[in-house]
Amino acid sequence: MIGSGFKSATGSQAKELFAFATNPFLGLIVGTVATALIQSSSTVTSIIVGLVAGGLPVTTAVPMVMGANIGTSITNTLVSLGHIGDKTEFKRAFAAATIHDFFNLLSVVIFLPVEIIFHPLEKIAYFLAQNLVGGGSLSVKDLNFVKAATKPVVGLFKTITHILPAPFDGIALIILGIAMIFLTISFIGKLLKVLMVGRAKDILHTAIGKGPIAGIAAGTFMTVLVQSSSTTTSLMVPLAGAGLFGLAQIYPFTLGANIGTCITALLAATAVSGAEAVPALEIAMVHLLYNVLGVVIIYGIPFLCRLPIVSAETLAAVASEGKAIAFAYIIGVFFVIPGILLGVTVLL
């Protein structure tokens, strides 16, 4: 719906519409702020897939996907504020929450400059998307159950919005598509929370007892089921605050959540057909590659692996002494600094 609406509203002007975001840093900020406001990277990345299917250049969309990873970190950081009444609990909970922030920030610092210069994620994702959408045995076209399931609904809404003059018919379709994503992810999330939240502690205990690889796998699996990394990582914060798990134990589970959240964008991409199928799947694959390689490189190199832990522990120690620092950190990192950079970039 979003892809169809975007094409209808912009015609051949899609690239011009997003000319402002061709600066990769601006794209990063847009992705960060949008996700921080919506508090769902699954929603934002699904919208980005729809926009790419409608003509948004993949190069422009890559930094937005990276920004979505940063923006989604705000949810569990907000959850940690629930422990602010107890100094010791808050210190543990805030560290468990912000380790996700620092990992995602470090991932952007490493990958964004390399992507700007060499475009490795975009190139690898394009190769994979071409082969998957092509005529081979693994073709997405042969498994396009999402397209078949959504076609009647999309057709119905196209008929309804067609009564509006251009470009308002396309804009209405985009708004309806975004609303549908909100409703479905919210509904699925609520249903799966009922099923999964009670078992989270058992899954964590089992995974942590078997080492970091099992922790990453469990975080991935649970996030695929819930389709929300925010939900998965937020579940761990109260457990950390209560002292049931240490920071080094929760860290791998958080990384798995980053990988698991990619499933939503991949599912969204399978609903796209025709000439737009390759770029739509390409940006979804960029999201997956970015998160998998981030875990492999950062967690695999001891020095880099320690950075998020040390940073989270240091910030939590300071914030537990002065609670205002915690609020300043959340507002500053997710809204004020991106807002200032956005203003400066637009002016330049």
Side-chain angles (χ1 to χ4, degrees), residues 1-67:
M1 284 175 65
I2 293 170
S4 298
F6 192 58
K7 279 188 288 183
S8 178
T10 61
S12 59
Q13 306 299 313
K15 289 185 181 181
E16 288 79 358
L17 183 65
F18 278 88
F20 77 93
T22 50
N23 179 325
F25 298 103
L26 192 53
L28 180 75
I29 293 163
V30 169
T32 301
V33 175
T35 311
L37 291 170
I38 293 170
Q39 293 198 36
S40 172
S41 61
S42 299
T43 300
V44 172
T45 51
S46 295
I47 292 169
I48 291 170
V49 168
L51 294 176
V52 169
L56 174 66
V58 172
T59 305
T60 304
V62 171
M64 293 182 181
V65 167
M66 293 183 178

Side-chain angles (χ1 to χ4, degrees), residues 18-336:
F18 278 88
F20 77 93
T22 50
N23 179 325
F25 298 103
L26 192 53
L28 180 75
I29 293 163
V30 169
T32 301
V33 175
T35 311
L37 291 170
I38 293 170
Q39 293 198 36
S40 172
S41 61
S42 299
T43 300
V44 172
T45 51
S46 295
I47 292 169
I48 291 170
V49 168
L51 294 176
V52 169
L56 174 66
V58 172
T59 305
T60 304
V62 171
M64 293 182 181
V65 167
M66 293 183 178
N69 260 28
I70 297 174
T72 194
S73 308
I74 192 175
T75 311
N76 52 343
T77 309
L78 289 171
V79 169
S80 70
L81 298 178
H83 298 267
I84 206 163
D86 185 304
K87 183 178 175 181
T88 306
E89 276 194 21
F90 179 62
K91 184 178 177 180
R92 290 192 295 243
F94 198 67
T98 54
I99 196 168
H100 195 202
D101 305 0
F102 285 113
F103 177 84
N104 286 333
L105 287 166
L106 180 59
S107 195
V108 166
V109 167
I110 292 169
F111 282 94
L112 185 59
V114 175
E115 188 63 24
I116 291 169
I117 299 167
F118 302 108
H119 306 287
L121 294 174
E122 189 179 339
K123 288 174 182 175
I124 297 168
Y126 179 70
F127 172 78
L128 293 172
Q130 263 196 323
N131 282 281
L132 285 168
V133 175
S137 58
L138 293 174
S139 175
V140 173
K141 289 178 182 176
D142 300 330
L143 305 169
N144 205 342
F145 61 93
V146 178
K147 176 70 175 178
T150 56
K151 191 174 180 179
V153 180
V154 175
L156 174 64
F157 279 103
K158 275 185 181 179
T159 305
I160 294 168
T161 57
H162 193 63
I163 60 173
L164 297 170
F168 297 106
D169 57 341
I171 293 169
L173 207 56
I174 292 170
I175 293 168
L176 287 167
I178 292 171
M180 291 284 279
I181 289 176
F182 271 114
L183 288 169
T184 50
I185 290 180
S186 174
F187 184 63
I188 291 169
K190 284 178 181 176
L191 289 176
L192 289 170
K193 278 180 194 176
V194 174
L195 294 171
M196 294 301 301
V197 170
R199 300 173 193 172
K201 188 176 169 183
D202 294 333
I203 293 171
L204 274 167
H205 271 298
T206 304
I208 287 169
K210 294 180 180 176
I213 302 300
I216 292 169
T220 302
F221 176 69
M222 225 174 120
T223 307
V224 166
L225 290 177
V226 179
Q227 289 202 33
S228 170
S229 60
S230 301
T231 299
T232 308
T233 53
S234 296
L235 288 173
M236 295 182 290
V237 172
L239 300 177
L244 295 173
F245 299 109
L247 194 59
Q249 294 171 309
I250 280 173
Y251 189 16
F253 201 87
T254 302
L255 305 188
N258 261 16
I259 297 170
T261 196
C262 300
I263 188 69
T264 315
L266 287 166
L267 283 171
T270 65
V272 181
S273 61
E276 298 84 9
V278 171
L281 186 58
E282 183 184 351
I283 193 62
M285 292 300 296
V286 165
H287 190 210
L288 179 63
L289 287 167
Y290 172 61
N291 283 321
V292 170
L293 290 174
V295 170
V296 170
I297 291 170
I298 296 173
Y299 199 71
I301 299 173
F303 167 70
L304 293 176
C305 181
R306 286 287 305 162
L307 278 178
I309 297 174
V310 173
S311 302
E313 286 175 339
T314 305
L315 179 62
V318 174
S320 64
E321 296 297 331
K323 305 298 191 297
I325 293 170
F327 290 98
Y329 165 79
I330 292 169
I331 295 167
V333 168
F334 294 104
F335 298 106
V336 176

